Amino acid sequence: MKKITDFRLIEKKEWAKSTFLLLQCNEPLEEIKAGQFVQVRVDDAQHTYLRRPISIHDVDYQNRTITLLVQRVGEGTNKMSDIEIGDTLNIIYPLGNGFTIPVGTRQATSVQERQATSVLMVGGGIGIAPLYYLGKMLKEKGIEPQFLLGGRSKSDLIMLEEFESVGKVYITTNDGSLGEPGFVTQHSIWKEKQFDMIYTCGPKPMMMAVTKIAREKNIDCEVSLENLMACGLGACLCCVENTIEGNVCVCKEGPVMNINKLLW
């Protein structure tokens, strides 16, 4: 069930281009799937009239908290990132659909679940955000998460220790300042390992390149699209994506989609 409620900021971390926000709700959280997002109201921003869509990075039901990673790209996200401890953000959540969680080492309970033993999550830039919570969900299923994270340089890769606490982390940087040099699609892991499932989120060219590899290797793959969104509810038609089923609203039918539905 979607809710509109206030979350209070209880922890904040800053990097050059990104901000970590740990937000607490006064009431029990609604069920949130890995891959879903929130729409955040931006107060006191002169030219920001619409809520901003932000991926959910992590969820803690016991402490009633969600974590958002916000990239500073404009007035709205800058204003959002400037809030102080104790301030509140008004949020609509949970929105969109989530990633399909494979069965792993446990028995399937529905036809939607897929069996998988080797899973790779590929993230670029702020696209790493939804993959952390997904990794935790996979680990609960008995699947050891593997992350392939890329950035332009070492400074673009954040929260690596947190990802390493969940699963194995592989890294590429365009300038070779950390991990293997080049793009995520050029990492040696593609030649060294076989995967049953791939998840990816990040810049569209990166996701298209990962999609190409998945198709060539006949690996099931889901992508989290980052089309421009306004309402977050499928009413404004701002985030339409052309698929084999026609035009669909990414905020409602996505943001997670199987590559078999995409016309890439």
Side-chain angles (χ1 to χ4, degrees), residues 15-53:
W15 293 274
K17 300 176 183 177
S18 305
T19 306
F20 166 98
L21 300 176
L22 181 62
L23 302 159
Q24 187 174 54
C25 190
N26 289 328
E27 55 192 33
L29 296 176
E30 296 295 319
E31 181 182 358
I32 299 172
K33 299 177 182 179
Q36 289 186 302
F37 67 99
V38 302
Q39 286 280 105
V40 183
R41 190 180 71 201
V42 184
D43 297 323
D44 302 322
Q46 185 177 0
H47 301 100
T48 303
Y49 306 106
L50 301 171
R51 290 175 181 261
R52 290 297 184 261

Side-chain angles (χ1 to χ4, degrees), residues 105-199:
T105 58
R106 300 181 181 178
Q107 185 177 1
T109 59
S110 68
V111 295
Q112 284 77 26
E113 289 185 315
R114 300 185 177 95
Q115 292 185 344
T117 57
S118 183
V119 173
L120 181 66
M121 287 163 282
V122 186
I126 203 67
I128 67 172
L131 301 182
Y132 178 74
Y133 185 40
L134 173 61
K136 291 174 62 177
M137 297 298 99
L138 292 171
K139 197 167 186 177
E140 287 184 2
K141 288 286 187 178
I143 301 171
E144 186 64 26
Q146 299 175 84
F147 301 97
L148 175 54
L149 309 178
R152 292 186 179 88
S153 65
K154 179 179 179 180
S155 62
D156 292 317
L157 295 165
I158 61 176
M159 305 194 72
L160 293 181
E161 290 184 3
E162 285 79 1
F163 279 92
E164 289 170 349
S165 70
V166 175
K168 178 67 176 177
V169 176
Y170 303 90
I171 293 170
T172 66
T173 49
N174 294 5
D175 62 4
S177 55
L178 187 66
E180 295 188 12
F183 302 119
V184 289
T185 50
Q186 297 172 319
H187 196 282
S188 57
I189 191 175
W190 296 106
K191 296 179 180 179
E192 297 170 357
K193 294 194 173 186
Q194 300 293 323
F195 302 103
D196 303 310
M197 184 76 187
I198 297 173
Y199 304 95

